[in-house]
Amino acid sequence: MTAVKTLQINSHLDWLEAEAIYILREVAAECERPVLLFSGGKDSCVLLRLAEKAFRPGSFPFPLLHIDTGHNFDEVIHFRDKCTSQLNERLIVRHVEDSIKRGTVVLRRDGDSRNAAQAVTLLEAIDEFGFDACIGGARRDEEKARAKERVFSFRGESGKWDPKAQRPELWNLYNTHVHPGENMRVFPISNWTELDVWQYIQREEIALPPIYFSHQRSVVRRRGLLVPVTPLTPPVEGEHVEQLSVRFRTVGDISCTCPVASVATTTADIITETALSTLTERGATRMDDQTSEASMERRKRNGYF
């Protein structure tokens, strides 16, 4: 890479970083009880680095929250706990399993995906702690419904998203006022792309769970996706189990998150793959987003992040 190209990339990342830090400080200044959603995924790891730049040497002005489906990859949960311990920040974990026991989440079958059910547990956590702003790592390039989001995404008393009820955002001026029971979902990296995220991870040398990099895994081919073979996602009759070199572009509930074929073992390799990819990360890896083009929007209207 030429020196001029490197300078251009760094200038672009500097601009994105400054915008995100401004948004994080705006949340801290304007919201009474914010929280940062942290799953151990790459986007939330970037948010943690941005929060460090925004608020260190002091502590974060908000705790971290993870909604645990109980169906997460072990490598990601181990990384989550190690990362928050090193940061010495408070991590709150709320479990979809507890919502199932309370009867607020009802699944048709034990093996059903718990991804959408996170919305219920998140809304219960918001009510429990009185959070008025939930900071997350969603980006507009992820999916069509995400592209409709504001940076400060207003949610009504039921916690549901109405795209027609969103507030204008002009000249980086954000209306953060909410009544009791209402809240904001705040997306500091809305304007970032997947490529921006990986270039920032490389520049900042941000640690990630190892499953983001190429490794050998048992998979089956199903509906154009590589489905990982696990106790939650066993092969069905007639499927052939293969050992392939794969990596995950996004991490989430095991029941709906698929890897992609890859030999990328370094961040630089992943940047090259990402630059050449013609599919969004969710389109290439998420089974729950393939049911229809409106899948994500329906979940967001029901309180999903």
Side-chain angles (χ1 to χ4, degrees), residues 153-266:
S153 178
F154 174 76
R155 306 296 174 101
E157 290 187 13
S158 62
K160 297 181 179 181
W161 176 69
D162 180 357
K164 296 181 180 179
Q166 300 307 303
R167 299 166 177 178
E169 294 180 343
L170 306 174
W171 307 293
N172 293 331
L173 298 176
Y174 304 111
N175 180 353
T176 63
H177 179 74
V178 293
H179 293 104
E182 299 172 341
N183 67 88
M184 289 286 182
R185 310 289 172 85
V186 185
F187 307 119
I189 61 172
S190 285
N191 293 326
W192 298 44
T193 66
E194 185 184 8
L195 183 59
D196 294 329
V197 167
W198 279 109
Q199 288 175 333
Y200 192 75
I201 288 168
Q202 181 184 50
R203 187 179 85 169
E204 298 294 316
E205 299 180 344
I206 297 173
L208 295 175
I211 64 173
Y212 274 110
F213 301 91
S214 180
H215 59 282
Q216 292 292 311
R217 187 175 291 266
S218 297
V219 299
V220 295
R221 299 178 189 271
R222 187 181 302 164
R223 301 197 305 272
L225 298 172
L226 299 178
V227 178
V229 175
T230 73
L232 291 170
T233 53
V236 300
E237 186 177 354
E239 289 183 332
H240 173 62
V241 178
E242 301 176 65
Q243 251 335 86
L244 295 181
S245 178
V246 300
R247 69 177 178 89
F248 286 85
R249 288 175 67 181
T250 181
V251 298
D253 193 275
I254 290 173
S255 62
C256 63
T257 306
C258 299
V260 296
S262 173
V263 294
T265 58
T266 67

Side-chain angles (χ1 to χ4, degrees), residues 73-298:
F73 292 96
D74 290 339
E75 299 96 323
V76 178
I77 296 301
H78 174 74
F79 177 85
R80 178 202 70 185
D81 294 340
K82 178 182 177 182
C83 185
T84 52
S85 176
Q86 289 174 341
L87 284 172
N88 196 29
E89 295 290 345
R90 180 189 178 197
L91 172 67
I92 300 167
V93 180
R94 289 297 178 265
H95 301 271
V96 171
E97 184 66 38
D98 292 334
S99 298
I100 293 172
K101 292 176 181 177
R102 286 191 290 268
T104 52
V105 167
V106 179
L107 302 176
R108 292 177 301 170
R109 297 180 297 272
D110 288 342
D112 282 353
S113 172
R114 298 183 177 186
N115 191 43
Q118 293 179 83
V120 174
T121 310
L122 174 59
L123 293 176
E124 290 172 345
I126 289 171
D127 183 64
E128 177 185 355
F129 293 98
F131 295 133
D132 59 351
C134 296
I135 306 163
R139 308 185 321 269
R140 292 190 179 116
D141 78 323
E142 286 182 84
E143 201 270 344
K144 292 180 180 179
R146 295 287 197 207
K148 298 179 182 180
E149 284 281 20
R150 301 288 198 269
V151 173
F152 280 75
S153 178
F154 174 76
R155 306 296 174 101
E157 290 187 13
S158 62
K160 297 181 179 181
W161 176 69
D162 180 357
K164 296 181 180 179
Q166 300 307 303
R167 299 166 177 178
E169 294 180 343
L170 306 174
W171 307 293
N172 293 331
L173 298 176
Y174 304 111
N175 180 353
T176 63
H177 179 74
V178 293
H179 293 104
E182 299 172 341
N183 67 88
M184 289 286 182
R185 310 289 172 85
V186 185
F187 307 119
I189 61 172
S190 285
N191 293 326
W192 298 44
T193 66
E194 185 184 8
L195 183 59
D196 294 329
V197 167
W198 279 109
Q199 288 175 333
Y200 192 75
I201 288 168
Q202 181 184 50
R203 187 179 85 169
E204 298 294 316
E205 299 180 344
I206 297 173
L208 295 175
I211 64 173
Y212 274 110
F213 301 91
S214 180
H215 59 282
Q216 292 292 311
R217 187 175 291 266
S218 297
V219 299
V220 295
R221 299 178 189 271
R222 187 181 302 164
R223 301 197 305 272
L225 298 172
L226 299 178
V227 178
V229 175
T230 73
L232 291 170
T233 53
V236 300
E237 186 177 354
E239 289 183 332
H240 173 62
V241 178
E242 301 176 65
Q243 251 335 86
L244 295 181
S245 178
V246 300
R247 69 177 178 89
F248 286 85
R249 288 175 67 181
T250 181
V251 298
D253 193 275
I254 290 173
S255 62
C256 63
T257 306
C258 299
V260 296
S262 173
V263 294
T265 58
T266 67
T267 304
D269 293 339
I270 292 175
I271 288 172
T272 299
E273 282 191 357
T274 303
L276 296 174
S277 177
T278 58
L279 283 175
T280 65
E281 61 192 272
R282 296 191 72 92
T285 66
R286 300 301 288 268
M287 286 183 279
D288 54 339
D289 286 341
Q290 293 200 340
T291 54
S292 79
E293 289 192 352
S295 294
M296 171 64 82
E297 184 157 337
R298 279 201 304 270

